[in-house]
Amino acid sequence: MERLSGEKEQSVEAFGWAARDSSGHLSPFVFSRRKTGEEEVRVKVLYCGICHSDLHCLKNEWHSSTYPLVPGHEIVGEVSEIGSKVSKFNLGDKVGVGCIIDSCRTCQSCREDQENYCTKAVATYNGVHHDGTINYGGYSDHIVVDERYAVKIPHTLPLASAAPLLCAGISMYSPMKYFGLAGPDKHIGIVGLGGLGHIGVRFAKAFGTKVTVISSTTGKSKDALETLGADGFLVSTDEDQMKAATGTMDGIIDTVSASHSISPLIGLLKSNGKLVLLGATEKPFDISAFSLILGRKSIAGSGIGGMKETQEMIDFAAEHGIKAEIEIISMDYVNTAIDRLAKGDVRYRFVIDIANTLAATRS
Amino acid sequence: MAKSPETEHPNKVFGWGARDKSGVLSPFHFSRRDNGENDVTVKILFCGVCHTDLHTIKNDWGYTYYPVVPGHEIVGIATKVGKNVTKFKEGDRVGVGVIAGSCQSCESCDQDLENYCPQMSFTYNAIASDGTKNYGGYSENIVVDQRFVLRFPENLPSDSGAPLLCAGITVYSPMKYYGMTEAGKHLGVAGLGGLGHVAVKIGKAFGLKVTVISSSSKKEEEAINHLGADSFLVTSDPQKMKAAIGTMDYIIDTISAVHALYPLLGLLKVNGKLIALGLPEKPLELPMFPLVLGRKMVGGSDVGGLKETQEMLDFCAKHNITADIELIKMDEINSAMERLAKSDVRYRFVIDVANSLSPP
């Protein structure tokens, strides 16, 4: 078993695809990563999911992108090097890396295993490492990460379809558990049937929760009901359907990031119902105070989950055979995939086959 | 032929009502039903003036049925009880709050949450199950089903206890429901009016650290020295607001005007909750990044069920919590409403109904 010790400042060459500006166009990019630290693992990337956040960041929609930008935070790979103090992993282990790769480790959130809410949480890509360098994400051949921020992938979980769990999966699993929406006596709505929404349906069914997919068109109804096993499908633009569903849901998880009205969703909630917002919408929502007061309803946000919970989610997915519906693509298809993602043209997550197709793009 | 307010019921009653959205209140003759088997007739002693009364008489929310007799913070004496009434006897001191009816058979009613019953009817400006309009406490008496009558604890004064029937329960209920009762936690109270000042007192009784959040420093000295708040935060002071970021476990937002939620959300810790109780007529803007980045929540709450309202009254009696009031005569109500619109009251007007309401 090969273990490395010491913290020499040598760079290790890395190769991936990056965008150089807010056009978001990706192309081959040679860069470097740090040597594996004492508590770190080096992960050879096998697959990386394409998250809608990648699209937002590539195009600098949140006005915080630093270029060159290597996206990717739904990473599944194999441990190729271990630091001398690493205890969680061995060489060859299949691991996942998600949206954060560091946090302050001392605040209340970190102490309560909610590293995702640490105000100093560091993003896997476009975040800044404590040594001041910019983090590059999973559209690359390997990544170095502190063992705390990696999770083990059980061997029963197929790797490519496990990748989206690292962001989409935990983003749906966490609020369902935290807001008490996981269980046979609950009925939830899931707004938007994309990367997050479709995984959410699968988790909900595994929890025994009754789930209705809420969508603006009928296009995905067959998928929702037959492929994913949703109990119902509600077209939000159909007034009669919406009226009939008034006051029927214990919770709604809204995955839509585009600007939309949430007032009709509040009407679908039972008394004490909760609307959980996940989509990164820029414009504030207009809400009537009445709509919350009459029925003691609430609106909350949620963002991914802590590392302990992410491992719990992965293990749960393995136990219940939950995987994402994916379209595996080669590295050089990525720009087309991003364009298609922008139009919602994917059932339901692109996953880049890094191991088999990245190297070939290096000239 | 449609019956007039005076003739639709057998018993003539006198009160003050508003006839249009000027909101001007004036003497008004109407009528009430006979005391039924399940009813209690209450001779009204005092009635608090709630901001909802002001919103309603001006038709701010667009659904006022004129003529309207407001008033849902009522304390009085039971003068008649129906033969099925077991909870009260004649002579008892009782209260009537915001709700005067519900279906009494749905899931919410079964859980003592009459306030969330889809067929709940308000004490005033609502249609009762017999199709007639409910008239509120700016009047001589009221007839209410015993389920919606509260026993007024012995050591709770009738005048300064009256506002608890709406203001009190409106803050007590969400404080219990959303878990704001852990001693040592930090509560922000936004807006120091009728609801806000009671929230400070109840918060302190729960052992919370309480910070009043206000747009001006006018009420600072009172908040700290008289109401017992631990600190006072002026929203227009950028340095103090910055220092207070991420320090509060919960915020009770009682501000009745349209206002920005973003700065208040910033004051919450991770997993923090903001309960919006004010009812402005325009929508609030809800930014979602602060919610997602800290798993924060904005919730609403609507008074409380009757069982909880009784629990609140008993709690306040035990902790000597009453409202700070300005007692007024019935014929001073219009100028009181003008002052209320400008928040010029420390902190609730209460009408001395028994001693000042007399037919012309």
Side-chain angles (χ1 to χ4, degrees):
Chain A
M1 196 151 52
E2 196 188 305
R3 284 182 184 251
L4 291 184
S5 62
E7 292 152 42
K8 275 210 229 159
E9 284 252 64
Q10 253 176 325
S11 289
V12 176
E13 196 183 81
F15 175 67
W17 276 46
R20 268 88 173 156
D21 56 44
S22 61
S23 70
H25 182 84
L26 291 147
S27 56
F29 175 59
V30 176
F31 61 105
S32 63
R33 292 196 184 274
R34 61 180 179 276
K35 227 163 177 263
T36 311
E38 290 179 320
E39 291 170 354
E40 294 181 321
V41 295
R42 185 174 305 273
V43 179
K44 170 178 150 61
V45 179
L46 300 174
Y47 296 100
C48 187
I50 299 183
C51 177
H52 210 116
S53 299
D54 300 353
L55 173 54
H56 287 306
C57 278
L58 284 168
K59 307 261 182 185
N60 199 19
E61 283 171 17
W62 295 332
H63 312 291
S64 58
S65 299
T66 302
Y67 299 96
L69 193 149
V70 177
H73 58 204
E74 293 185 338
I75 303 164
V76 167
E78 189 179 284
V79 175
S80 60
E81 235 172 41
I82 308 177
S84 59
K85 293 187 177 161
V86 166
S87 55
K88 274 171 69 176
F89 304 106
N90 295 309
L91 279 184
D93 277 352
K94 301 295 190 284
V95 298
V97 177
C99 305
I100 55 169
I101 51 166
D102 207 352
S103 62
C104 85
R105 314 182 196 202
T106 54
C107 70
Q108 192 176 359
S109 291
C110 286
R111 283 183 276 116
E112 290 175 359
D113 299 311
Q114 288 179 33
E115 299 92 340
N116 49 322
Y117 296 119
C118 168
T119 51
K120 300 197 168 82
V122 178
T124 299
Y125 67 84
N126 197 43
V128 180
H129 189 58
H130 57 70
D131 66 5
T133 57
I134 293 282
N135 289 329
Y136 295 115
Y139 293 18
S140 60
D141 55 3
H142 72 268
I143 189 165
V144 181
V145 61
D146 183 294
E147 63 169 342
R148 178 175 176 155
Y149 305 92
V151 291
K152 213 162 200 175
I153 308 276
H155 65 90
T156 50
L157 217 45
L159 293 178
S161 50
L165 296 176
L166 275 323
C167 178
I170 185 60
S171 292
M172 296 301 289
Y173 180 91
S174 184
M176 284 190 207
K177 295 291 298 273
Y178 181 73
F179 293 105
L181 299 173
D185 55 338
K186 302 287 184 199
H187 176 199
I188 64 167
I190 293 180
V191 185
L193 200 64
L196 266 62
H198 91 285
I199 291 251
V201 175
R202 291 201 155 147
F203 275 117
K205 292 318 298 168
F207 288 136
T209 304
K210 177 176 169 190
V211 59
T212 296
V213 170
I214 303 165
S215 181
S216 53
T217 66
T218 53
K220 297 175 181 175
S221 133
K222 192 159 184 283
D223 257 4
L225 298 167
E226 292 174 27
T227 311
L228 301 170
D231 300 280
F233 190 90
L234 179 57
V235 181
S236 54
T237 45
D238 183 322
E239 262 182 50
D240 292 331
Q241 278 189 35
M242 289 293 280
K243 196 163 177 211
T246 297
T248 56
M249 299 179 190
D250 297 282
I252 293 174
I253 309 214
D254 186 349
T255 74
V256 174
S257 56
S259 192
H260 61 290
S261 171
I262 56 173
S263 307
L265 299 175
I266 299 174
L268 299 175
L269 293 170
K270 293 178 187 174
S271 275
N272 306 317
K274 298 164 181 121
L275 171 61
V276 184
L277 303 176
L278 304 182
T281 318
E282 241 196 287
K283 212 166 146 261
F285 294 103
D286 276 338
I287 46 148
S288 133
F290 272 101
S291 66
L292 298 182
I293 285 170
L294 300 174
R296 191 161 57 183
K297 299 176 186 179
S298 51
I299 302 176
S302 182
I304 48 171
M307 295 318 302
K308 185 171 170 207
E309 193 174 29
T310 304
Q311 184 67 69
E312 180 191 295
M313 175 276 304
I314 291 279
D315 294 339
F316 181 88
E319 192 188 325
H320 293 269
I322 295 172
K323 49 192 173 71
E325 290 292 308
I326 64 172
E327 185 177 326
I328 299 185
I329 62 160
S330 56
M331 190 73 237
D332 60 5
Y333 188 78
V334 72
N335 287 307
T336 311
I338 297 279
D339 285 341
R340 285 178 52 197
L341 177 60
K343 294 186 218 120
D345 174 24
V346 56
R347 246 60 165 179
Y348 285 97
R349 213 45 159 193
F350 290 112
V351 173
I352 309 169
D353 183 353
I354 298 279
N356 294 319
T357 66
L358 174 63
T361 65
R362 187 166 182 171
S363 47
Chain B
M1 186 178 75
K3 291 196 167 177
S4 73
E6 264 190 277
T7 55
E8 74 182 335
H9 292 294
N11 301 302
K12 292 208 191 320
V13 186
F14 173 68
W16 276 49
R19 283 142 172 95
D20 57 45
K21 65 185 176 75
S22 69
V24 169
L25 291 146
S26 57
F28 174 63
H29 294 273
F30 61 106
S31 53
R32 293 198 186 277
R33 65 176 184 270
D34 277 333
N35 199 80
E37 298 179 320
N38 300 315
D39 287 338
V40 177
T41 298
V42 181
K43 172 181 155 59
I44 297 174
L45 300 175
F46 297 97
C47 186
V49 178
C50 178
H51 209 118
T52 295
D53 301 351
L54 176 55
H55 282 304
T56 305
I57 58 180
K58 299 267 189 186
N59 199 19
D60 281 349
W61 299 326
Y63 64 80
T64 301
Y65 305 107
Y66 294 103
V68 61
V69 174
H72 58 205
E73 295 183 339
I74 302 164
V75 178
I77 305 287
T79 53
K80 271 198 205 117
V81 300
K83 69 180 177 54
N84 291 342
V85 172
T86 50
K87 288 163 65 181
F88 306 101
K89 54 185 195 309
E90 282 176 29
D92 279 350
R93 205 158 56 107
V94 296
V96 177
V98 179
I99 302 170
S102 71
C103 82
Q104 305 199 39
S105 57
C106 70
E107 213 181 304
S108 291
C109 287
D110 284 344
Q111 289 171 30
D112 298 309
L113 293 171
E114 298 89 345
N115 47 327
Y116 298 118
C117 166
Q119 282 162 62
M120 177 269 293
S121 55
F122 291 121
T123 298
Y124 70 84
N125 193 44
I127 306 296
S129 50
D130 65 1
T132 61
K133 190 160 57 174
N134 286 341
Y135 293 109
Y138 293 15
S139 60
E140 307 173 78
N141 63 54
I142 190 165
V143 181
V144 183
D145 183 299
Q146 66 166 330
R147 181 169 177 152
F148 305 95
V149 178
L150 291 319
R151 177 185 33 82
F152 222 69
E154 225 178 87
N155 66 313
L156 213 50
S158 300
D159 53 359
S160 54
L164 296 175
L165 291 160
C166 179
I169 185 59
T170 297
V171 299
Y172 181 88
S173 184
M175 288 171 81
K176 295 288 301 272
Y177 181 71
Y178 291 105
M180 304 180 194
T181 54
E182 265 185 77
K185 296 276 177 154
H186 186 185
L187 167 70
V189 177
L192 199 63
L195 265 60
H197 90 289
V198 175
V200 174
K201 295 183 183 190
I202 293 180
K204 291 310 300 168
F206 282 137
L208 303 171
K209 173 181 169 189
V210 178
T211 295
V212 170
I213 306 162
S214 178
S215 54
S216 91
S217 54
K218 268 192 324 193
K219 299 177 184 174
E220 176 162 5
E221 196 265 328
E222 264 214 32
I224 310 252
N225 295 332
H226 174 65
L227 297 173
D230 297 280
S231 56
F232 194 94
L233 180 58
V234 181
T235 51
S236 51
D237 183 332
Q239 271 185 333
K240 295 242 169 81
M241 284 295 280
K242 194 168 179 206
I245 285 176
T247 57
M248 298 179 191
D249 296 282
Y250 349 89
I251 292 175
I252 293 258
D253 181 359
T254 74
I255 301 170
S256 56
V258 173
H259 59 285
L261 288 180
Y262 184 82
L264 295 178
L265 292 172
L267 300 174
L268 290 171
K269 293 179 185 172
V270 169
N271 302 323
K273 300 175 176 115
L274 182 148
I275 308 309
L277 300 176
L279 288 166
E281 63 268 28
K282 294 215 181 63
L284 294 171
E285 255 188 24
L286 181 67
M288 60 86 59
F289 270 100
L291 297 185
V292 170
L293 295 176
R295 195 161 56 183
K296 298 178 186 179
M297 191 200 81
V298 173
S301 183
D302 189 11
V303 297
L306 274 306
K307 182 170 172 210
E308 193 174 31
T309 307
Q310 187 67 65
E311 178 192 299
M312 177 277 305
L313 287 175
D314 295 335
F315 178 89
C316 287
K318 180 172 166 199
H319 293 271
N320 289 314
I321 295 172
T322 55
D324 286 18
I325 66 167
E326 185 176 325
L327 205 57
I328 60 165
K329 298 198 187 36
M330 189 73 243
D331 63 4
E332 294 172 321
I333 187 61
N334 288 308
S335 48
M337 285 296 186
E338 277 171 31
R339 286 177 52 200
L340 178 57
K342 295 184 224 132
S343 301
D344 174 23
V345 55
R346 249 55 166 184
Y347 289 96
R348 218 28 163 207
F349 290 112
V350 172
I351 308 168
D352 185 351
V353 175
N355 291 322
S356 67
L357 178 74
S358 43

